[in-house]
């Protein structure tokens, strides 16, 4: 059955546009995490030291912002 929303039926331009959107959102999420948690630029930033539930809370807030 043909489904226009299935990625296998997308044109190349739509597929690349969707990839760009996903990459942009991932980059913005990472930048927001770094900014909100005052990332010191070290390999182990503040985000990694948060508990799983705190990390989930950060992602939930970022999803509402982005």
């Amino acid at each position: 059955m043909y489904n226009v929303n299935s990625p296998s039926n997308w044109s190349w331009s739509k597929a690349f546009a969707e990839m760009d959107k996903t990459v942009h959102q991932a980059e913005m999420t990472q930048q927001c995490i770094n900014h909100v948690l005052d990332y010191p630029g070290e390999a182990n930033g503040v985000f990694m030291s948060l508990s799983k539930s705190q990390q989930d809370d950060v992602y939930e807030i970022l999803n509402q912002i982005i």
Side-chain angles (χ1 to χ4, degrees):
M1 182 169 158
Y2 181 78
N3 180 355
V4 72
N5 293 323
S6 173
S8 63
N9 295 323
W10 289 352
S11 67
W12 281 105
S13 62
K14 182 173 180 176
F16 280 109
E18 196 65 26
M19 184 195 72
D20 287 343
K21 179 179 141 188
T22 302
V23 169
H24 177 72
Q25 183 175 7
E27 289 174 348
M28 292 301 296
T29 300
Q30 187 61 52
Q31 288 180 21
C32 288
I33 289 171
N34 291 344
H35 180 71
V36 168
L37 298 176
D38 196 26
Y39 183 64
E42 299 168 4
N44 296 323
V46 176
F47 184 76
M48 297 308 293
S49 66
L50 297 177
S51 69
K52 177 69 174 140
S53 64
Q54 289 173 322
Q55 289 179 357
D56 290 343
D57 289 343
V58 170
Y59 276 120
E60 184 178 338
I61 293 167
L62 289 174
N63 281 331
Q64 292 176 9
I65 294 171
I66 297 175

